Amino acid sequence: MSSSQSFSADSAPGPTANPAPTLTPAFSPLYQQIKGLILQSLQAGEWRPGELIPSEMELAARFKVSQGTVRKAIDELAAENLVMRRQGKGTFVATHSAQQVQYRFLKLHPDVGNLEGEGRAQRTILECKRVRAPAEIARLLALRSGDTVVQVRRILAFSGIPTILEDIWLPGHPFKGLTAEQMANYQGPTYAMFEGDFGVRMVRADEKLRAVLPDEAQAQLLQVPTSTPLLSVERIAYTYNDIPMELRRGIYRTDTHHYKNALS
């Protein structure tokens, strides 16, 4: 949903501790307006990743709409992996620490077995430094040229074989204090670390793929000849309200892995 979506509101206090505006249909369906308000609460950190959000009945009272309207809004949020329903327990803010979510953005799969069986990648951080953003990087991250970014280069290896070489750029302010040791030693998914340590939750990503040949430095780091075809993946990951929070450029060996994406 776009943050420019409009609704009519009466700011009279509601029946709960968190009064909310009364809504009337404007330029979008009412349930989408409710979805937008829930997204605002998620973005503001009212409910943290992994936490239980109020019940449909409580949200209906808060927003002064029917439970059916709230349910439809939550259905869309669940379909977008922003919240997770748990039978008999309620609805929780999605977290990259959860098993069903942590592989959401990882599309490189082993040719034999699966991601869970392959285990955690061995991470080698080659550099992690704060630099002034070049114009292209600043543009892709919606920053000003010269703004501070954190630049990371790392190798991900599986079973001791270097498989992915990644260059990552992150806006400097939200990721203040990020260190190479922190990235190397964190035992879970990197996005879970961003979420837990910096309060930045990646909710969607855009990717561009192409086939490339490595240069001398890349070939040496991945231990392949320069004539080896590799998969280049550029990803921009966004937090709530389509705010770009990461630019990631990786090159992947595909002699033991393949890129897999489920389309629906």
Short mmCIF file of all heavy atoms in Angstrom, two decimals, residues 90-150:
data_model
loop_
_atom_site.label_atom_id
_atom_site.label_comp_id
_atom_site.label_asym_id
_atom_site.label_seq_id
_atom_site.Cartn_x
_atom_site.Cartn_y
_atom_site.Cartn_z
N GLY A 90 -3.00 -16.66 18.02
CA GLY A 90 -3.19 -15.29 17.58
C GLY A 90 -2.31 -14.94 16.40
O GLY A 90 -1.76 -15.81 15.73
N THR A 91 -2.17 -13.64 16.18
CA THR A 91 -1.38 -13.13 15.05
C THR A 91 -0.15 -12.41 15.59
O THR A 91 -0.25 -11.58 16.50
CB THR A 91 -2.22 -12.16 14.20
OG1 THR A 91 -3.38 -12.85 13.71
CG2 THR A 91 -1.43 -11.65 13.01
N PHE A 92 1.01 -12.73 15.02
CA PHE A 92 2.27 -12.20 15.49
C PHE A 92 2.96 -11.41 14.38
O PHE A 92 2.79 -11.70 13.20
CB PHE A 92 3.19 -13.35 15.93
CG PHE A 92 2.68 -14.11 17.13
CD1 PHE A 92 1.67 -15.04 17.00
CD2 PHE A 92 3.22 -13.89 18.39
CE1 PHE A 92 1.19 -15.73 18.10
CE2 PHE A 92 2.76 -14.57 19.49
CZ PHE A 92 1.74 -15.50 19.36
N VAL A 93 3.76 -10.43 14.78
CA VAL A 93 4.57 -9.70 13.82
C VAL A 93 5.61 -10.68 13.27
O VAL A 93 6.30 -11.37 14.03
CB VAL A 93 5.28 -8.50 14.47
CG1 VAL A 93 6.11 -7.74 13.43
CG2 VAL A 93 4.27 -7.58 15.14
N ALA A 94 5.70 -10.76 11.96
CA ALA A 94 6.66 -11.68 11.34
C ALA A 94 8.08 -11.27 11.71
O ALA A 94 8.39 -10.09 11.89
CB ALA A 94 6.49 -11.69 9.83
N THR A 95 8.94 -12.26 11.84
CA THR A 95 10.33 -12.02 12.19
C THR A 95 11.23 -12.90 11.33
O THR A 95 10.88 -14.04 11.03
CB THR A 95 10.60 -12.28 13.68
OG1 THR A 95 12.01 -12.27 13.92
CG2 THR A 95 10.03 -13.62 14.13
N HIS A 96 12.38 -12.38 10.95
CA HIS A 96 13.32 -13.16 10.16
C HIS A 96 13.97 -14.26 10.99
O HIS A 96 14.68 -15.10 10.45
CB HIS A 96 14.40 -12.25 9.56
CG HIS A 96 13.90 -11.44 8.40
ND1 HIS A 96 13.74 -11.96 7.14
CD2 HIS A 96 13.51 -10.15 8.32
CE1 HIS A 96 13.29 -11.02 6.33
NE2 HIS A 96 13.14 -9.91 7.01
N SER A 97 13.71 -14.26 12.30
CA SER A 97 14.22 -15.34 13.14
C SER A 97 13.36 -16.60 13.02
O SER A 97 13.81 -17.69 13.38
CB SER A 97 14.27 -14.89 14.61
OG SER A 97 15.17 -13.81 14.77
N ALA A 98 12.12 -16.44 12.55
CA ALA A 98 11.22 -17.59 12.44
C ALA A 98 11.64 -18.49 11.29
O ALA A 98 12.05 -18.02 10.23
CB ALA A 98 9.78 -17.11 12.23
N GLN A 99 11.56 -19.79 11.51
CA GLN A 99 12.02 -20.76 10.52
C GLN A 99 11.37 -20.57 9.17
O GLN A 99 12.03 -20.64 8.13
CB GLN A 99 11.76 -22.18 11.03
CG GLN A 99 12.34 -23.28 10.16
CD GLN A 99 13.85 -23.32 10.20
OE1 GLN A 99 14.44 -22.91 11.20
NE2 GLN A 99 14.49 -23.80 9.16
N GLN A 100 10.05 -20.29 9.16
CA GLN A 100 9.35 -20.19 7.88
C GLN A 100 9.61 -18.88 7.16
O GLN A 100 9.22 -18.72 6.01
CB GLN A 100 7.83 -20.38 8.09
CG GLN A 100 7.17 -19.31 8.93
CD GLN A 100 7.09 -19.70 10.39
OE1 GLN A 100 8.05 -20.18 10.96
NE2 GLN A 100 5.92 -19.49 10.98
N VAL A 101 10.28 -17.94 7.82
CA VAL A 101 10.53 -16.64 7.21
C VAL A 101 12.00 -16.43 6.89
O VAL A 101 12.35 -15.76 5.93
CB VAL A 101 10.03 -15.50 8.15
CG1 VAL A 101 10.38 -14.13 7.58
CG2 VAL A 101 8.53 -15.60 8.36
N GLN A 102 12.91 -17.07 7.65
CA GLN A 102 14.32 -16.72 7.54
C GLN A 102 14.92 -17.04 6.18
O GLN A 102 15.93 -16.45 5.81
CB GLN A 102 15.14 -17.37 8.65
CG GLN A 102 15.13 -18.88 8.66
CD GLN A 102 15.91 -19.44 9.84
OE1 GLN A 102 16.81 -20.26 9.67
NE2 GLN A 102 15.59 -19.00 11.02
N TYR A 103 14.33 -17.95 5.43
CA TYR A 103 14.85 -18.26 4.09
C TYR A 103 14.08 -17.54 2.99
O TYR A 103 14.25 -17.83 1.81
CB TYR A 103 14.81 -19.76 3.84
CG TYR A 103 15.72 -20.55 4.75
CD1 TYR A 103 15.21 -21.51 5.60
CD2 TYR A 103 17.09 -20.32 4.75
CE1 TYR A 103 16.05 -22.24 6.44
CE2 TYR A 103 17.93 -21.03 5.59
CZ TYR A 103 17.40 -21.99 6.42
OH TYR A 103 18.24 -22.69 7.26
N ARG A 104 13.25 -16.58 3.37
CA ARG A 104 12.37 -15.94 2.40
C ARG A 104 13.13 -15.25 1.28
O ARG A 104 12.75 -15.32 0.11
CB ARG A 104 11.49 -14.92 3.14
CG ARG A 104 10.51 -14.18 2.24
CD ARG A 104 9.71 -13.18 3.04
NE ARG A 104 8.99 -12.28 2.17
CZ ARG A 104 8.58 -11.07 2.53
NH1 ARG A 104 8.84 -10.64 3.73
NH2 ARG A 104 7.92 -10.31 1.70
N PHE A 105 14.25 -14.60 1.59
CA PHE A 105 15.01 -13.88 0.57
C PHE A 105 16.20 -14.66 0.05
O PHE A 105 16.94 -14.16 -0.80
CB PHE A 105 15.49 -12.54 1.13
CG PHE A 105 14.38 -11.56 1.43
CD1 PHE A 105 14.57 -10.55 2.36
CD2 PHE A 105 13.15 -11.65 0.81
CE1 PHE A 105 13.56 -9.64 2.64
CE2 PHE A 105 12.13 -10.75 1.09
CZ PHE A 105 12.34 -9.74 2.01
N LEU A 106 16.42 -15.86 0.55
CA LEU A 106 17.55 -16.67 0.09
C LEU A 106 17.04 -17.63 -0.97
O LEU A 106 16.30 -18.56 -0.68
CB LEU A 106 18.18 -17.43 1.26
CG LEU A 106 19.38 -18.32 0.90
CD1 LEU A 106 20.49 -17.49 0.25
CD2 LEU A 106 19.91 -19.02 2.14
N LYS A 107 17.45 -17.42 -2.21
CA LYS A 107 16.95 -18.21 -3.33
C LYS A 107 17.97 -19.20 -3.86
O LYS A 107 17.67 -19.96 -4.77
CB LYS A 107 16.50 -17.27 -4.46
CG LYS A 107 15.44 -16.26 -4.05
CD LYS A 107 14.16 -16.91 -3.59
CE LYS A 107 13.09 -15.89 -3.28
NZ LYS A 107 11.85 -16.51 -2.77
N LEU A 108 19.20 -19.18 -3.33
CA LEU A 108 20.21 -20.11 -3.79
C LEU A 108 20.11 -21.40 -2.99
O LEU A 108 20.27 -21.40 -1.78
CB LEU A 108 21.61 -19.50 -3.62
CG LEU A 108 22.71 -20.21 -4.44
CD1 LEU A 108 22.52 -19.94 -5.92
CD2 LEU A 108 24.09 -19.78 -3.98
N HIS A 109 19.80 -22.48 -3.68
CA HIS A 109 19.56 -23.77 -3.04
C HIS A 109 20.63 -24.77 -3.48
O HIS A 109 21.10 -24.74 -4.62
CB HIS A 109 18.18 -24.30 -3.42
CG HIS A 109 17.05 -23.52 -2.84
ND1 HIS A 109 16.19 -24.02 -1.90
CD2 HIS A 109 16.64 -22.24 -3.07
CE1 HIS A 109 15.29 -23.11 -1.57
NE2 HIS A 109 15.55 -22.02 -2.28
N PRO A 110 20.98 -25.69 -2.58
CA PRO A 110 21.95 -26.74 -2.98
C PRO A 110 21.32 -27.69 -3.98
O PRO A 110 20.11 -27.95 -3.95
CB PRO A 110 22.26 -27.44 -1.65
CG PRO A 110 21.06 -27.19 -0.79
CD PRO A 110 20.56 -25.83 -1.17
N ASP A 111 22.14 -28.21 -4.88
CA ASP A 111 21.64 -29.18 -5.85
C ASP A 111 21.22 -30.48 -5.17
O ASP A 111 20.32 -31.18 -5.65
CB ASP A 111 22.72 -29.49 -6.90
CG ASP A 111 22.98 -28.31 -7.82
OD1 ASP A 111 22.11 -27.42 -7.93
OD2 ASP A 111 24.07 -28.26 -8.43
N VAL A 112 21.87 -30.79 -4.05
CA VAL A 112 21.55 -32.00 -3.28
C VAL A 112 21.09 -31.59 -1.89
O VAL A 112 21.75 -30.80 -1.22
CB VAL A 112 22.79 -32.92 -3.18
CG1 VAL A 112 22.44 -34.16 -2.34
CG2 VAL A 112 23.29 -33.31 -4.56
N GLY A 113 19.94 -32.11 -1.46
CA GLY A 113 19.42 -31.78 -0.14
C GLY A 113 18.64 -30.48 -0.15
O GLY A 113 18.11 -30.06 -1.19
N ASN A 114 18.59 -29.80 1.01
CA ASN A 114 17.84 -28.56 1.12
C ASN A 114 18.59 -27.58 2.01
O ASN A 114 19.65 -27.89 2.56
CB ASN A 114 16.43 -28.84 1.67
CG ASN A 114 16.47 -29.59 2.99
OD1 ASN A 114 17.34 -29.36 3.84
ND2 ASN A 114 15.52 -30.51 3.18
N LEU A 115 18.04 -26.37 2.13
CA LEU A 115 18.70 -25.32 2.89
C LEU A 115 18.88 -25.69 4.35
O LEU A 115 19.93 -25.45 4.95
CB LEU A 115 17.90 -24.02 2.78
CG LEU A 115 17.95 -23.29 1.44
CD1 LEU A 115 16.91 -22.18 1.40
CD2 LEU A 115 19.34 -22.73 1.19
N GLU A 116 17.83 -26.29 4.94
CA GLU A 116 17.93 -26.66 6.34
C GLU A 116 19.02 -27.70 6.57
O GLU A 116 19.80 -27.60 7.53
CB GLU A 116 16.58 -27.20 6.85
CG GLU A 116 15.46 -26.16 6.92
CD GLU A 116 14.75 -25.95 5.59
OE1 GLU A 116 15.21 -26.53 4.57
OE2 GLU A 116 13.76 -25.21 5.57
N GLY A 117 19.11 -28.67 5.66
CA GLY A 117 20.12 -29.71 5.82
C GLY A 117 21.52 -29.22 5.53
O GLY A 117 22.50 -29.74 6.09
N GLU A 118 21.64 -28.20 4.68
CA GLU A 118 22.96 -27.67 4.33
C GLU A 118 23.60 -26.95 5.50
O GLU A 118 24.82 -26.92 5.65
CB GLU A 118 22.83 -26.73 3.14
CG GLU A 118 24.16 -26.21 2.63
CD GLU A 118 24.00 -25.43 1.34
OE1 GLU A 118 23.15 -24.51 1.31
OE2 GLU A 118 24.69 -25.75 0.37
N GLY A 119 22.76 -26.36 6.36
CA GLY A 119 23.31 -25.67 7.52
C GLY A 119 23.70 -24.24 7.23
O GLY A 119 23.62 -23.75 6.10
N ARG A 120 24.16 -23.57 8.26
CA ARG A 120 24.51 -22.15 8.19
C ARG A 120 25.76 -21.95 7.34
O ARG A 120 26.72 -22.70 7.45
CB ARG A 120 24.73 -21.63 9.61
CG ARG A 120 25.17 -20.18 9.71
CD ARG A 120 25.27 -19.79 11.17
NE ARG A 120 25.79 -18.42 11.32
CZ ARG A 120 27.06 -18.12 11.52
NH1 ARG A 120 27.96 -19.08 11.59
NH2 ARG A 120 27.44 -16.87 11.66
N ALA A 121 25.72 -20.91 6.53
CA ALA A 121 26.89 -20.57 5.73
C ALA A 121 28.02 -20.10 6.63
O ALA A 121 27.80 -19.45 7.66
CB ALA A 121 26.54 -19.49 4.71
N GLN A 122 29.25 -20.44 6.25
CA GLN A 122 30.41 -19.90 6.94
C GLN A 122 30.71 -18.53 6.35
O GLN A 122 30.90 -18.40 5.14
CB GLN A 122 31.61 -20.83 6.79
CG GLN A 122 31.40 -22.24 7.34
CD GLN A 122 30.82 -23.21 6.31
OE1 GLN A 122 31.35 -23.36 5.21
NE2 GLN A 122 29.73 -23.87 6.67
N ARG A 123 30.77 -17.52 7.22
CA ARG A 123 30.90 -16.14 6.76
C ARG A 123 32.31 -15.63 6.99
O ARG A 123 32.84 -15.72 8.09
CB ARG A 123 29.91 -15.25 7.50
CG ARG A 123 28.45 -15.67 7.33
CD ARG A 123 27.58 -14.95 8.32
NE ARG A 123 26.19 -15.40 8.24
CZ ARG A 123 25.27 -15.18 9.18
NH1 ARG A 123 25.61 -14.52 10.27
NH2 ARG A 123 24.05 -15.63 9.02
N THR A 124 32.88 -15.08 5.96
CA THR A 124 34.17 -14.40 6.08
C THR A 124 33.96 -12.94 5.69
O THR A 124 33.61 -12.64 4.55
CB THR A 124 35.23 -15.03 5.15
OG1 THR A 124 35.39 -16.41 5.49
CG2 THR A 124 36.56 -14.31 5.30
N ILE A 125 34.12 -12.04 6.66
CA ILE A 125 33.94 -10.62 6.40
C ILE A 125 35.27 -10.05 5.93
O ILE A 125 36.25 -10.02 6.69
CB ILE A 125 33.45 -9.87 7.65
CG1 ILE A 125 32.20 -10.56 8.23
CG2 ILE A 125 33.15 -8.42 7.32
CD1 ILE A 125 31.02 -10.64 7.28
N LEU A 126 35.34 -9.62 4.69
CA LEU A 126 36.57 -9.08 4.13
C LEU A 126 36.76 -7.61 4.50
O LEU A 126 37.90 -7.15 4.69
CB LEU A 126 36.57 -9.23 2.61
CG LEU A 126 36.40 -10.67 2.10
CD1 LEU A 126 36.31 -10.68 0.58
CD2 LEU A 126 37.56 -11.54 2.57
N GLU A 127 35.65 -6.89 4.60
CA GLU A 127 35.72 -5.50 5.05
C GLU A 127 34.36 -5.04 5.53
O GLU A 127 33.31 -5.55 5.10
CB GLU A 127 36.24 -4.56 3.95
CG GLU A 127 35.36 -4.49 2.71
CD GLU A 127 35.95 -3.55 1.65
OE1 GLU A 127 37.14 -3.20 1.77
OE2 GLU A 127 35.21 -3.18 0.73
N CYS A 128 34.38 -4.12 6.46
CA CYS A 128 33.15 -3.49 6.97
C CYS A 128 33.57 -2.09 7.40
O CYS A 128 34.26 -1.92 8.40
CB CYS A 128 32.59 -4.28 8.15
SG CYS A 128 31.08 -3.57 8.87
N LYS A 129 33.17 -1.11 6.62
CA LYS A 129 33.65 0.25 6.87
C LYS A 129 32.57 1.27 6.54
O LYS A 129 31.64 0.99 5.78
CB LYS A 129 34.90 0.52 6.03
CG LYS A 129 34.69 0.37 4.52
CD LYS A 129 36.00 0.50 3.75
CE LYS A 129 35.77 0.35 2.25
NZ LYS A 129 37.03 0.43 1.49
N ARG A 130 32.73 2.45 7.12
CA ARG A 130 31.82 3.56 6.84
C ARG A 130 32.48 4.45 5.80
O ARG A 130 33.63 4.87 5.96
CB ARG A 130 31.51 4.33 8.13
CG ARG A 130 30.78 3.47 9.16
CD ARG A 130 30.53 4.23 10.45
NE ARG A 130 29.53 5.27 10.29
CZ ARG A 130 28.21 5.05 10.38
NH1 ARG A 130 27.76 3.84 10.63
NH2 ARG A 130 27.35 6.04 10.24
N VAL A 131 31.73 4.72 4.73
CA VAL A 131 32.26 5.52 3.62
C VAL A 131 31.20 6.51 3.17
O VAL A 131 30.03 6.41 3.56
CB VAL A 131 32.68 4.62 2.43
CG1 VAL A 131 33.76 3.64 2.84
CG2 VAL A 131 31.46 3.87 1.86
N ARG A 132 31.63 7.46 2.36
CA ARG A 132 30.69 8.38 1.73
C ARG A 132 30.07 7.70 0.51
O ARG A 132 30.77 7.11 -0.30
CB ARG A 132 31.41 9.66 1.30
CG ARG A 132 31.98 10.46 2.46
CD ARG A 132 30.89 11.00 3.36
NE ARG A 132 31.42 11.75 4.49
CZ ARG A 132 30.68 12.25 5.46
NH1 ARG A 132 29.36 12.06 5.44
NH2 ARG A 132 31.23 12.91 6.46
N ALA A 133 28.76 7.78 0.39
CA ALA A 133 28.06 7.06 -0.67
C ALA A 133 28.35 7.67 -2.03
O ALA A 133 28.13 8.87 -2.23
CB ALA A 133 26.56 7.07 -0.42
N PRO A 134 28.85 6.87 -2.99
CA PRO A 134 28.93 7.34 -4.37
C PRO A 134 27.53 7.66 -4.89
O PRO A 134 26.53 7.19 -4.35
CB PRO A 134 29.54 6.15 -5.11
CG PRO A 134 30.16 5.30 -4.05
CD PRO A 134 29.35 5.50 -2.82
N ALA A 135 27.45 8.43 -5.94
CA ALA A 135 26.16 8.91 -6.45
C ALA A 135 25.21 7.76 -6.76
O ALA A 135 24.02 7.81 -6.42
CB ALA A 135 26.38 9.78 -7.68
N GLU A 136 25.72 6.69 -7.41
CA GLU A 136 24.83 5.58 -7.79
C GLU A 136 24.28 4.87 -6.56
O GLU A 136 23.08 4.55 -6.49
CB GLU A 136 25.59 4.58 -8.66
CG GLU A 136 24.71 3.42 -9.11
CD GLU A 136 25.51 2.24 -9.64
OE1 GLU A 136 26.73 2.18 -9.38
OE2 GLU A 136 24.90 1.37 -10.28
N ILE A 137 25.13 4.61 -5.58
CA ILE A 137 24.68 3.92 -4.36
C ILE A 137 23.68 4.79 -3.61
O ILE A 137 22.65 4.31 -3.13
CB ILE A 137 25.89 3.58 -3.46
CG1 ILE A 137 26.91 2.73 -4.22
CG2 ILE A 137 25.42 2.89 -2.18
CD1 ILE A 137 26.38 1.43 -4.74
N ALA A 138 23.97 6.08 -3.52
CA ALA A 138 23.07 7.00 -2.84
C ALA A 138 21.70 7.01 -3.51
O ALA A 138 20.65 6.99 -2.85
CB ALA A 138 23.67 8.40 -2.82
N ARG A 139 21.69 7.03 -4.83
CA ARG A 139 20.41 7.05 -5.56
C ARG A 139 19.59 5.81 -5.28
O ARG A 139 18.38 5.88 -5.01
CB ARG A 139 20.68 7.19 -7.07
CG ARG A 139 19.42 7.14 -7.94
CD ARG A 139 19.76 7.29 -9.41
NE ARG A 139 20.67 6.26 -9.88
CZ ARG A 139 20.29 5.03 -10.24
NH1 ARG A 139 19.00 4.68 -10.16
NH2 ARG A 139 21.18 4.15 -10.67
N LEU A 140 20.22 4.64 -5.30
CA LEU A 140 19.49 3.39 -5.08
C LEU A 140 18.99 3.25 -3.66
O LEU A 140 17.99 2.56 -3.40
CB LEU A 140 20.39 2.20 -5.45
CG LEU A 140 20.74 2.09 -6.94
CD1 LEU A 140 21.77 0.99 -7.17
CD2 LEU A 140 19.49 1.82 -7.77
N LEU A 141 19.66 3.90 -2.71
CA LEU A 141 19.23 3.85 -1.31
C LEU A 141 18.44 5.09 -0.90
O LEU A 141 18.18 5.29 0.30
CB LEU A 141 20.45 3.67 -0.39
CG LEU A 141 21.13 2.30 -0.43
CD1 LEU A 141 22.38 2.30 0.43
CD2 LEU A 141 20.16 1.20 0.03
N ALA A 142 18.09 5.92 -1.87
CA ALA A 142 17.31 7.14 -1.61
C ALA A 142 18.03 8.06 -0.62
O ALA A 142 17.41 8.66 0.26
CB ALA A 142 15.90 6.80 -1.12
N LEU A 143 19.36 8.14 -0.77
CA LEU A 143 20.17 9.03 0.05
C LEU A 143 20.70 10.17 -0.81
O LEU A 143 20.53 10.18 -2.03
CB LEU A 143 21.34 8.26 0.66
CG LEU A 143 21.01 7.05 1.54
CD1 LEU A 143 22.29 6.29 1.90
CD2 LEU A 143 20.27 7.49 2.80
N ARG A 144 21.37 11.11 -0.17
CA ARG A 144 22.06 12.16 -0.90
C ARG A 144 23.48 11.70 -1.19
O ARG A 144 24.11 11.02 -0.38
CB ARG A 144 22.07 13.45 -0.11
CG ARG A 144 20.70 14.10 0.07
CD ARG A 144 20.76 15.28 1.00
NE ARG A 144 21.22 14.85 2.33
CZ ARG A 144 21.34 15.68 3.37
NH1 ARG A 144 21.05 16.96 3.22
NH2 ARG A 144 21.76 15.23 4.53
N SER A 145 24.01 12.10 -2.33
CA SER A 145 25.38 11.75 -2.66
C SER A 145 26.30 12.29 -1.57
O SER A 145 26.20 13.45 -1.17
CB SER A 145 25.76 12.36 -4.01
OG SER A 145 27.07 11.98 -4.38
N GLY A 146 27.17 11.42 -1.05
CA GLY A 146 28.06 11.81 0.02
C GLY A 146 27.58 11.46 1.40
O GLY A 146 28.34 11.55 2.37
N ASP A 147 26.31 11.04 1.54
CA ASP A 147 25.83 10.57 2.84
C ASP A 147 26.63 9.34 3.26
O ASP A 147 27.14 8.60 2.41
CB ASP A 147 24.34 10.21 2.77
CG ASP A 147 23.44 11.43 2.85
OD1 ASP A 147 23.96 12.54 3.03
OD2 ASP A 147 22.20 11.26 2.72
N THR A 148 26.69 9.11 4.55
CA THR A 148 27.46 7.98 5.06
C THR A 148 26.70 6.67 4.84
O THR A 148 25.49 6.58 5.10
CB THR A 148 27.75 8.14 6.55
OG1 THR A 148 28.50 9.35 6.75
CG2 THR A 148 28.55 6.97 7.10
N VAL A 149 27.40 5.65 4.35
CA VAL A 149 26.86 4.30 4.26
C VAL A 149 27.86 3.33 4.88
O VAL A 149 29.05 3.63 4.99
CB VAL A 149 26.59 3.88 2.79
CG1 VAL A 149 25.47 4.70 2.19
CG2 VAL A 149 27.85 3.98 1.95
N VAL A 150 27.35 2.19 5.32
CA VAL A 150 28.21 1.09 5.76
C VAL A 150 28.42 0.18 4.56
O VAL A 150 27.45 -0.27 3.95
CB VAL A 150 27.58 0.31 6.93
CG1 VAL A 150 28.51 -0.84 7.36
CG2 VAL A 150 27.29 1.23 8.10
#
